[in-house]
Amino acid sequence: MKNIYSIEFHTGSKEELLPGFASDFPYIASRVELDKFMGRFVPWHWHKTVELFYMESGELEYCTPKGKMVFPAGSGGMVNSNVLHMSSPQGESEKNIQLLHMFDPSFIAGQQGSRIEQKYVTPVITASQVEIIGLYPDNPVQAKVLDTIRESFHLFENDLGYEIKLRETLSYIWVQLFAMSRHMLEEKGDYDKTNNKIKLMLVYIHEHYAEKISIAEIAAAAFSSQRECFRIFHDCLHMTPVEYIINYRLKMACHMLAKTQETITFISHACGLGSSSYFGKVFREYMGCTPIEYRRKWQDNDIKRQK
C-alpha cells in the first residue's frame, strides 16, 4: 500500500492519474495522509474507478454537486464511478489518514456484458442519484461492512492467492453496498446533462488557465450560454467561474512553489496571475501567507519526507 501526500491528474482534465494502475489488474491501494496535502484539500476531480475508503484517523468532508458528507474516524464509504467530488480534512492540527481501494468496475464485474456486470455493477455505476454511499459504525449493518473494509487492507501482495482473495473481498463488499443502495436505485434518476457540462467547462479551464479566459469561452466549451455557465458553477461547485479560475491558478502556483525553483515572477505569469505584486496580494488573501513562506514550508516538508 502506497503512502500518498498529493494527487496528480491527466493532462487537460481533472480525471485523477493513478500511477501503478495496470490493465491486467485494474486496482491500487493507498494510504492517504490528507493533513500533509498542499492547501489541506483534494481539489474537484473525477475518475472512472470506484473509490472505496476507510477513515483510520481524523475527520474528512466530501463535497459533490449534490451536497456534503462528513466522515469521522471509524467511518467509510464508496464514491461512485465518474462522480465529481472534492474533499478536505476537518481540524487544523489533527492527523488525517484515509485508506483507499481504487478499482475499475471491471475488476469485480469480469468480462464485458457478463451477468454480474449487468445485474450488480452497471445499475450502480450508471445511477446519477448514487454519488456517495456513507458507512457509519453506529449502524450495525454498516459496521460489519466497515470491519470488512478495514480488514481488507491487511491482505498482502506477496501472499499466495492475493489477487483472488482481494477480488473476492471487494465483491463481497460490493454486494453489501448494492443491497444498501437498492432504495436509491429504485428512485427515478434522470440523466444529468449538467454533470457533463461542468466537466467540459472545468477541462477548458484546466487547459487554458495560463491564458486570459472569458466566461463566453468557458460557456462555449460546453455549448452553453454565459447565463447557464454561471448557474452550473453555482449549482455544482457553489462558486462563480471567476472564483474557480483563481482557485485553480493558485493551486497550480502552489504546486510550482513546492516542486520547482522557478522565481515568483515566473510562476505568477505561468499560472495566469499577472504581476508578482498582484500574485502576492491574491496568494496571501487566499492562503494566509506569502508565496515565499509557502515555498519554504512545503519544500521543507518534502525534504523531511525524503529522509
Side-chain angles (χ1 to χ4, degrees), residues 86-103:
M86 71 163 289
S87 57
S88 57
Q90 304 298 288
E92 285 298 316
S93 58
E94 192 174 15
K95 198 171 182 67
N96 201 293
I97 298 175
Q98 182 187 37
L99 306 181
L100 276 174
H101 292 300
M102 303 283 287
F103 58 94

Side-chain angles (χ1 to χ4, degrees), residues 34-41 92-93 254 257-259 283 287-305:
L34 289 147
D35 53 301
K36 295 181 181 178
F37 267 53
M38 285 185 289
R40 288 183 57 83
F41 73 100
E92 285 298 316
S93 58
C254 285
L257 286 167
K259 301 297 182 182
F283 195 92
M287 305 302 297
C289 62
T290 67
I292 292 173
E293 288 169 343
Y294 185 92
R295 165 171 275 172
R296 191 178 297 122
K297 175 185 175 182
W298 288 101
Q299 288 192 346
D300 285 349
N301 281 352
D302 278 346
I303 292 168
K304 288 173 186 174
R305 286 200 288 265

Side-chain angles (χ1 to χ4, degrees), residues 224-249:
S224 302
S225 67
Q226 293 186 52
R227 184 175 180 179
E228 187 180 19
C229 175
F230 277 105
R231 180 189 63 78
I232 289 173
F233 267 85
H234 178 270
D235 291 349
C236 293
L237 307 188
H238 316 295
M239 63 176 71
T240 67
V242 172
E243 286 171 334
Y244 183 84
I245 293 168
I246 293 172
N247 273 285
Y248 187 75
R249 285 171 170 165

Side-chain angles (χ1 to χ4, degrees), residues 29-226:
S30 304
R31 182 179 182 272
V32 184
E33 298 190 37
L34 289 147
D35 53 301
K36 295 181 181 178
F37 267 53
M38 285 185 289
R40 288 183 57 83
F41 73 100
V42 180
W44 289 100
H45 67 289
W46 64 91
H47 35 73
K48 183 188 174 186
T49 53
V50 171
E51 181 174 317
L52 185 66
F53 65 93
Y54 178 81
M55 291 302 301
E56 187 176 271
S57 64
E59 186 173 78
L60 185 67
E61 180 182 78
Y62 268 91
C63 297
T64 72
K66 293 182 180 176
K68 299 178 181 180
M69 292 183 76
V70 175
F71 295 91
S75 66
M78 185 271 277
V79 181
N80 209 352
S81 174
N82 285 314
V83 169
L84 183 64
H85 61 286
M86 71 163 289
S87 57
S88 57
Q90 304 298 288
E92 285 298 316
S93 58
E94 192 174 15
K95 198 171 182 67
N96 201 293
I97 298 175
Q98 182 187 37
L99 306 181
L100 276 174
H101 292 300
M102 303 283 287
F103 58 94
D104 190 278
S106 64
F107 187 63
I108 57 174
Q111 184 178 342
Q112 187 174 5
S114 70
R115 188 181 301 180
I116 292 173
E117 179 187 65
Q118 294 180 54
K119 192 173 180 180
Y120 298 104
V121 178
T122 299
V124 176
I125 65 173
T126 59
S128 60
Q129 66 272 37
V130 181
E131 289 190 330
I132 298 180
I133 298 174
L135 302 169
Y136 298 92
D138 54 352
N139 180 303
V141 175
Q142 295 175 13
K144 288 182 180 179
V145 181
L146 283 167
D147 287 343
T148 306
I149 294 174
R150 186 180 65 252
E151 290 166 8
S152 66
F153 290 101
H154 296 151
L155 293 170
F156 296 105
E157 199 170 341
N158 294 328
D159 290 350
L160 178 65
Y162 162 75
E163 293 84 357
I164 294 174
K165 290 175 183 176
L166 177 64
R167 188 172 64 178
E168 179 186 22
T169 301
L170 293 180
S171 296
Y172 169 78
I173 294 167
W174 188 269
V175 171
Q176 308 310 308
L177 294 173
F178 178 82
M180 291 176 192
S181 64
R182 288 184 78 173
H183 69 283
M184 289 189 280
L185 298 176
E186 289 166 2
E187 296 173 2
K188 187 177 180 182
D190 296 328
Y191 178 69
D192 189 1
K193 291 182 180 178
T194 298
N195 191 46
N196 285 340
K197 287 191 173 187
I198 187 64
K199 288 178 181 175
L200 289 171
M201 292 176 187
L202 294 185
V203 168
Y204 183 84
I205 293 171
H206 304 155
E207 290 178 335
H208 299 278
Y209 70 91
E211 310 160 19
K212 286 185 178 180
I213 304 175
S214 70
I215 303 302
E217 289 168 334
I218 298 170
F223 310 100
S224 302
S225 67
Q226 293 186 52

